[in-house]
Amino acid sequence: MKLELGIIKISDIQFAAESKVEGSTLYVNKDELKALIMEDETFASCELDIARPGESVRITPVKDVIEPRVKVSGEGGVFPGWMAKVKTVGSGRTNVLKGCAVVTTGKIVGFQEGIIDMCGEGAKYTPFSQLNNLVLCVEPVEGTLQHAYEKAVRIAGLKAATYLGKLAKDIEAEEVRTYETPSITEGIKLYPGLPRVGYVLMLQSQGLLHDTYVYGVDAKQSLTTMLYPTETMDGAIISGNCVSACDKNTTYHHLNNPVIEDLYARHGKDLNFVGVIITNENVYLADKERSSDWSAKLCEFLGLDGAIISQEGFGNPDTDLIMNCKKIEAKGVKTVIITDEYAGQDGASQSLADADVAANACVTGGNANTVIHLPKMDKVIGHIEYVDKIAGGWSGSLQEDGSIIAELQVITGATNEMGFNTFSAR
Amino acid sequence: MIILTNNPDVQNMLTDRSVCFVEGSYRDVLVRARDMVHQGHRLLTHPLMGSLKPNETPYRSVGLSEEKGSLDFDSLQLIENAIETFDKFAAVTRPDRGSNTPERMLADFRLIDASLLKTALESAEQPPDFRR
C-alpha cells in the first residue's frame, strides 16, 4: 500500500468572508463553520477563536487536537467511519494542512483537563504551541449527559477538520512525502537481509472518556488486529480519550505517529518495517490476556525480529504494556517499550505500576509529576477555573497573579508515549 | 463476580447480590481486595482502572472471582503494585479533594468509576443483571 502526503504549509489562520487556502494562509468563514457545528442539537453555543504561536494565549481544558486533511485520490475518505464511509484508507494521495490544527475544548466533566500555552514556559512542553490553532469552544444544551457531550465534541472536531481539509483538495502541493509498505511476501523478497520490525500500537480503551475508535469501531470491542501504517495517516484511528492530558494520544498524534514516521525513514535501509499491530487496554483482565496473547501471536505470525510497543495512559495500561512486552519477548521477538513516568515530584519513585525483567529496553516520555510554573497569559480560551481541578493541579495551583504552579501532567501532549514531544534529556 | 466498591452509584447500578460495599477510602477497597486475594479469590478487573490518578478520585470498584482456589500470584502482584502506586500518589496531597471536593466533581468521579466497571462487566462472560 502506497500513500502520498501532499504537504500544504500553513503559517497563519484568519477569519474572513470566504473560507479558502491562499498562499500559506488559511481563511475561515466563521459563520459558515459555526452553522455546520451547530447542526448538532446537542450544542447550545459554539465559539471559534484563533491561537497562534508566540501569542500570550492559554487554551484549556483541551479535549482533542486534529490536523485537517483531505483525500485527493485513492479509496475512501479521511476519518473513515465518521466523516467518510468505512472504505479502507491509506492509499493514493492525501493533502495535509501542515502547521495548523483544530483544538476542541469543553467542560465535559468537573475535572476536565489539558492546557496548551502558546508562549512562555508551558509552550516548551507541548508541540501544539507551534501550530496555528483554530479553537472550537462548544457548550451543550442543559441536561446533556457527559457521554453524549463527549461524543458531540469529538464529532464537532472531526467535522471542523474535515471542513478545513476540503479547502485544500485542489491545491497542488509543493512537497510530497511518499510512504509505501509492500505485502509480506514482497517485503521478504525486497529486503532479504534486513531485520523485520513491527509496531505494536496500544489504544486507550477502558470505557467512558477513555476510548479510541478504529474505522468507527470502539477499540475495546475489537480483537488485536493489523493495519498498514499509512491507514493511520488518513484518520483510521481517532481519539475519544479525555483523561490524562500529558500522555493521551490525540487524533493529531494518531495522524502524525512519530514511531511510524521514524520506522518509515529507516524502512529498506537498515530495517524492514512490516506493519502496525493495534491492540487495546481494557479493564477486564481476561481481555488483557486475550489481547496481549494476540499481539504476541501476530508478531510471531509475521516473523518479526523486533517490535516497538507504545502505550497510552497510566496504571491499568502499564499492565497491558508489560504483558505485551513479556509475551512478545517470549516468542523470541526483541522489544522496545515507549512509556512515560509517574515517578513523584522528586523523580525518585517507581515509575510504572507494573514491571518485568523482559522490559529491558525502554524509552520514556518524561516524568509527568515534574513541577512547573506557568506564567499568566493575557488571554484564556476556554475555562481557566478548571485549572485547580485538573490532573496535576491542586487547590491553589491557580495563583493570584494568574500564573499556575502544577505538575507537568496538566500540559496536553507533554509526556506523550509515542515520543511525540519535546521533553528530552538530550 | 464479586464487586468491591466504595462507590454508591455502583451499589445502585447493580443487583445487591454481586456488590460488597466498603465503607471507606479508595485504599480501603484495595486493601480489602488484597485480603480476598489472600483468601484465594482472583482479581477480574484491573485495580487501577481509569486514567484518573489515585489522589484525584475517591472512588474505586474492583471485580473478583466468586470462587476461591489456591493463591493466585498474578492477582497478588497486581494488587500489591496497585497499593504501592496508590501510596506514591497519596504522598502528594490535593487539598481540593476528600471532604472539600465539590459535589459536581464527586458525581463525575462516581460516574467514571461506575461506567468503567460496567464496561468490564459487559466484557465478562456472564454479566450480572443491571438494575437499569
Side-chain angles (χ1 to χ4, degrees), chain A residues 107-111 113 146-147 204-210 220-221 241 243-244 247 282-290 312-320 326 342-345 349-355 369 386 388-395 407 409, chain B residues 1 26 42-57 60 63 72 74-75 77-78 80-82 84-86 88-89 91-97 102 104-113 115-126:
Chain A
K107 43 179 179 179
I108 293 162
V109 281
F111 47 85
E113 53 190 12
Q146 293 93 332
H147 70 273
Q204 181 61 266
S205 63
Q206 298 186 69
L208 183 70
L209 307 186
H210 294 70
K220 77 167 96 52
Q221 290 162 347
N241 182 12
V243 188
S244 206
D247 57 13
N282 291 10
V283 296
Y284 190 55
L285 296 177
D287 291 346
K288 292 183 185 304
E289 284 291 355
R290 185 190 304 113
E312 177 175 6
F314 142 88
N316 169 74
D318 295 350
T319 298
D320 299 276
K326 263 163 70 171
Y342 288 85
Q345 293 187 350
S349 304
Q350 166 75 24
S351 302
L352 294 177
D354 208 341
N369 294 127
Y386 279 77
D388 276 2
K389 301 178 176 63
I390 57 189
W394 50 80
S395 183
E407 291 182 2
Q409 53 174 314
Chain B
M1 191 189 304
Y26 184 144
R42 280 179 301 115
L43 281 178
L44 295 179
T45 67
H46 198 285
L48 295 175
M49 68 178 182
S51 292
L52 293 167
K53 308 303 178 292
N55 60 354
E56 291 182 87
T57 178
R60 179 63 7 181
D72 180 53
D74 287 342
S75 295
Q77 191 176 359
L78 260 183
E80 287 287 5
N81 284 343
E84 195 181 321
T85 302
F86 180 95
K88 178 179 78 180
F89 276 89
V92 178
T93 53
R94 308 283 301 273
D96 57 331
R97 297 296 186 265
R104 157 125 199 256
M105 273 176 71
L106 286 175
D108 284 339
F109 286 138
R110 285 196 296 270
L111 172 78
I112 298 277
D113 176 71
S115 302
L116 297 188
L117 180 73
K118 195 173 167 192
T119 303
L121 295 177
E122 284 164 357
S123 281
E125 283 165 38
Q126 292 175 307

Side-chain angles (χ1 to χ4, degrees), chain A residues 55-347:
Chain A
E55 288 181 347
S56 182
V57 174
R58 171 164 296 144
I59 312 168
T60 188
V62 172
K63 180 187 178 329
D64 199 8
V65 184
I66 309 157
E67 186 169 59
R69 296 187 170 204
V70 65
K71 209 88 199 108
V72 176
S73 64
E75 285 206 272
V78 173
F79 306 127
W82 300 101
M83 297 294 119
K85 291 183 178 172
V86 294
K87 203 88 193 143
T88 300
V89 292
S91 63
R93 183 179 286 201
T94 298
N95 274 353
V96 181
L97 293 182
K98 189 57 75 187
C100 71
V102 171
V103 175
T104 52
T105 161
K107 43 179 179 179
I108 293 162
V109 281
F111 47 85
Q112 185 65 23
E113 53 190 12
I115 291 176
I116 296 174
D117 276 1
M118 299 305 292
C119 74
E121 184 67 14
K124 293 181 197 165
Y125 297 113
T126 175
F128 306 122
S129 63
Q130 305 306 307
L131 303 177
N132 291 280
N133 295 313
L134 184 73
V135 188
L136 202 61
C137 288
V138 278
E139 302 290 341
V141 293
E142 219 177 298
T144 306
L145 292 173
Q146 293 93 332
H147 70 273
Y149 185 23
E150 185 282 325
K151 184 178 179 188
V153 180
R154 174 167 21 104
I155 291 172
L158 298 175
K159 261 189 188 174
T162 303
Y163 170 87
L164 299 177
K166 281 181 178 163
L167 303 174
K169 188 168 171 39
D170 298 324
I171 296 176
E172 191 60 42
E174 284 179 20
E175 183 191 346
V176 176
R177 298 175 190 166
T178 304
Y179 304 88
E180 187 168 11
T181 298
S183 71
I184 301 288
T185 47
E186 282 168 339
I188 291 168
K189 283 182 210 147
L190 280 168
Y191 315 114
L194 296 182
R196 298 167 58 74
V197 178
Y199 173 31
V200 178
L201 169 57
M202 294 170 51
L203 306 174
Q204 181 61 266
S205 63
Q206 298 186 69
L208 183 70
L209 307 186
H210 294 70
D211 281 316
T212 306
Y213 301 87
V214 183
Y215 283 90
V217 174
D218 186 338
K220 77 167 96 52
Q221 290 162 347
S222 171
L223 287 169
T224 301
T225 186
M226 284 203 65
L227 293 179
Y228 275 105
T230 52
E231 291 178 71
T232 65
M233 300 176 185
D234 276 342
I237 305 174
I238 65 134
S239 171
N241 182 12
C242 305
V243 188
S244 206
C246 62
D247 57 13
K248 78 175 177 195
N249 296 332
T250 67
T251 301
Y252 190 97
H253 289 111
H254 286 297
L255 289 165
N256 292 281
N257 190 315
V259 178
I260 291 176
E261 189 74 35
D262 287 359
L263 285 172
Y264 264 129
R266 295 173 62 170
H267 179 56
K269 293 176 185 158
D270 57 355
L271 56 83
N272 176 3
F273 179 21
V274 176
V276 178
I277 295 166
I278 50 171
T279 185
N280 53 22
E281 304 176 344
N282 291 10
V283 296
Y284 190 55
L285 296 177
D287 291 346
K288 292 183 185 304
E289 284 291 355
R290 185 190 304 113
S291 292
S292 54
D293 279 354
W294 278 59
S295 299
K297 180 178 69 180
L298 288 177
C299 287
E300 179 187 46
F301 196 18
L302 293 170
L304 298 185
D305 298 301
I308 295 174
I309 311 169
S310 72
Q311 76 165 134
E312 177 175 6
F314 142 88
N316 169 74
D318 295 350
T319 298
D320 299 276
L321 177 71
I322 295 302
M323 286 169 93
N324 280 319
C325 175
K326 263 163 70 171
K327 292 179 184 181
I328 294 169
E329 287 269 348
K331 296 284 188 189
V333 180
K334 298 235 178 280
T335 62
V336 175
I337 62 171
I338 313 177
T339 180
D340 68 346
E341 301 174 63
Y342 288 85
Q345 293 187 350
D346 61 0

